[in-house]
């Protein structure tokens, strides 16, 4: 008796309504840039109050954090020959979060080191936005705290 490896037609066919694909499963018109802009807008009251409360040093700290994150994002994408991702504003959010997690009296090189850890080590070496295993800003905060 010979057994055939044929599967009858219709047994293993998926219904037309079922599509198997990787996430995200729900799609909308919200882009990463729009979402990050919303986060930046949400952080502005806290940034402005921090500048009011702690003075010019807080403003400079915010500026150094944002500029260094954007620079490291641009530089590492250039070195790795990947398409620039500065336009998605995630580096700006990371810079704001790093700066807002530091006291206003820290030396200005500290947010630069934190930006390097966040963008280069935690974010870009693992593939960029959405592929990092930790939140870049908080990983930088822990690194700065432990060092």
């Amino acid at each position: 008796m010979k057994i055939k490896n044929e599967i009858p037609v219709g047994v293993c066919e998926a219904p037309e309504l079922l599509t198997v694909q990787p996430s995200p499963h729900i799609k909308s018109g919200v882009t990463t840039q729009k979402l990050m802009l919303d986060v930046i807008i949400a952080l502005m009251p806290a940034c402005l109050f921090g500048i009011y409360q702690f003075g010019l040093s807080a403003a400079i700290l915010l500026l150094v954090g944002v500029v260094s994150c954007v620079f490291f994002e641009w530089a590492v994408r250039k070195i790795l020959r990947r398409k620039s991702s500065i336009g998605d504003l995630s580096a700006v959010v990371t810079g704001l979060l790093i700066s807002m997690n530091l006291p206003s009296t820290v030396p200005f090189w500290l947010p630069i080191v934190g930006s390097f850890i966040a963008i280069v080590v935690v974010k870009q070496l693992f593939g960029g936005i959405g592929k990092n295993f930790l939140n870049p800003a908080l990983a930088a905060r822990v690194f700065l705290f432990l060092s």
Side-chain angles (χ1 to χ4, degrees), residues 32-112:
T32 303
Q33 183 182 29
K34 288 180 187 176
L35 185 66
M36 293 299 163
L37 185 59
D38 287 346
V39 173
I40 293 167
I41 292 168
L43 289 173
M44 279 303 110
C47 289
L48 293 174
F49 183 75
I51 293 168
Y52 169 76
Q53 187 74 26
F54 300 108
L56 188 60
S57 64
I60 294 171
L61 188 68
L62 286 167
L63 186 65
V64 168
V66 170
V67 169
S68 61
C69 276
V70 171
F71 170 75
F72 285 128
E73 177 111 2
W74 171 82
V76 77
R77 300 292 283 191
K78 195 79 160 166
I79 291 168
L80 297 175
R81 294 187 180 128
R82 294 182 186 162
K83 181 183 167 194
S84 177
S85 61
I86 294 173
D88 69 6
L89 301 176
S90 62
V92 174
V93 171
T94 302
L96 286 173
L97 291 174
I98 289 171
S99 299
M100 293 175 77
N101 270 286
L102 296 173
S104 63
T105 56
V106 299
F108 294 125
W109 59 266
L110 212 55
I112 296 171

